[in-house]
Amino acid sequence: ERIFKIGTTGRGIGPAYEDKAARCGIRMGDLLDEKSLGKTLEANLLKKNAYLTQVLKEEEFDYSKLFEECLEYKRHLERYVADTPVLLDEAIRQGKHILFEGAQGALLDVDHGTYPYVTSSNTVAGNACAGSGVGPTAIRSVTGVAKAYSTRVGEGPFPTELKDEIGEKIRKRGGEFGATTGRPRRCGWFDAVVMNHSIRINGIREIVITKLDVMNDLEKIKICVGYRVDGKVIGHVPSN
């Protein structure tokens, strides 16, 4: 069995996606229907509590407390629940502009990223359609956003990583610390191979480069345009 330390936040998004794939996740429809919520929660706890107590040697969840906690979520969230695909379709038909924003980089995509050092969902532009219920033909343009250098939080491959004073300088000037955990991000030179890959899998039409000012005081700036492995150049960026 392969065991990887992938450097996740430990905030539970992975187990949430596991439940989604296992078809046992609690959905908004369950949350709004107390009877359905009770049945789903009870069935889930049979498995979760057995795993907690027998495998992890932790205390089990109390059904009543968890049920009341879920009802509290309901009270806060139910006013925002809507049939999202219908809502967005109506806006599109009315000629309104809709902007989808990705929260994580393309290389963290569970299918197209640096697996297994990835998040638990799809982060590429195409998932805006799958996640929202908007058809792919409704997406008119995709804009890529990248820094003038590369960063990464957690484990995983990083060919251009700088483990020296330059990397530390970029980290401090760019304020490169994890948004969720505050962990210092690994920093390195701009990777054009990764950018080319991201353009391809996202269908990017234009690119916005940010934080160019972070590099102002550096005498030389390097850009990676290919990797050399066992004497062979791989991942080379085409000149055109």
Side-chain angles (χ1 to χ4, degrees):
E1 182 181 356
R2 298 184 302 171
I3 298 176
F4 296 95
K5 180 184 178 184
I6 61 177
T8 65
T9 63
R11 299 300 177 89
I13 193 64
Y17 273 100
E18 287 179 3
D19 284 356
K20 177 183 178 181
R23 299 163 181 80
C24 66
I26 295 176
R27 297 162 65 88
M28 289 306 303
D30 297 312
L31 207 61
L32 299 180
D33 184 334
E34 292 188 20
K35 186 176 181 181
S36 176
L37 173 63
K39 288 183 178 180
T40 304
L41 194 58
E42 188 175 12
N44 277 352
L45 286 184
L46 288 175
K47 298 177 182 178
K48 304 297 183 183
N49 281 341
Y51 182 71
L52 283 169
T53 57
Q54 297 175 31
V55 178
L56 300 180
K57 307 301 180 184
E58 298 285 348
E59 292 184 11
E60 64 179 26
F61 284 112
D62 179 84
Y63 170 84
S64 297
K65 289 182 180 179
L66 200 54
F67 184 75
E68 287 301 319
E69 185 177 334
C70 288
L71 291 183
E72 187 64 22
Y73 296 149
K74 171 190 174 182
R75 285 189 279 271
H76 285 286
L77 297 174
E78 60 183 340
R79 74 187 73 174
Y80 304 111
V81 178
D83 192 338
T84 307
V86 172
L87 190 70
L88 292 174
D89 183 64
E90 289 176 353
I92 291 170
R93 290 177 184 275
Q94 292 170 15
K96 294 182 178 179
H97 295 288
I98 299 172
L99 176 65
F100 296 103
E101 180 187 5
Q104 292 176 301
L107 269 291
L108 290 177
D109 187 274
V110 69
D111 290 314
H112 303 287
T114 51
Y115 189 91
Y117 305 99
V118 293
T119 191
S120 300
S121 63
N122 291 107
T123 61
V124 292
N127 201 49
C129 297
S132 68
V134 167
T137 55
I139 304 295
R140 295 184 179 180
S141 183
V142 178
T143 300
V145 180
K147 298 171 187 172
Y149 48 91
S150 301
T151 62
R152 179 161 202 155
V153 174
E155 304 297 321
F158 195 163
T160 67
E161 184 172 9
L162 292 165
K163 298 181 179 180
D164 55 16
E165 66 277 5
I166 296 178
E168 184 62 28
K169 187 174 185 178
I170 292 173
R171 182 181 299 110
K172 288 181 178 179
R173 288 207 60 183
E176 296 300 342
F177 299 91
T180 301
T181 63
R183 290 180 298 173
R185 292 191 180 109
R186 298 157 64 191
C187 298
W189 298 121
F190 185 87
D191 192 327
V193 178
V194 167
M195 175 58 75
N196 195 46
H197 173 71
S198 299
I199 291 171
R200 182 170 53 248
I201 63 176
N202 286 285
I204 291 172
R205 296 287 182 86
E206 56 268 325
I207 300 172
V208 176
I209 303 295
T210 67
K211 296 195 172 183
L212 284 162
D213 58 315
V214 173
M215 318 294 279
N216 282 350
D217 294 340
L218 298 180
E219 272 189 44
K220 293 182 179 180
I221 296 175
K222 296 182 180 180
I223 297 176
C224 174
V225 295
Y227 309 137
R228 187 177 294 277
V229 179
D230 296 330
K232 295 180 180 180
V233 176
I234 62 172
H236 183 70
V237 178
S239 59
N240 61 348

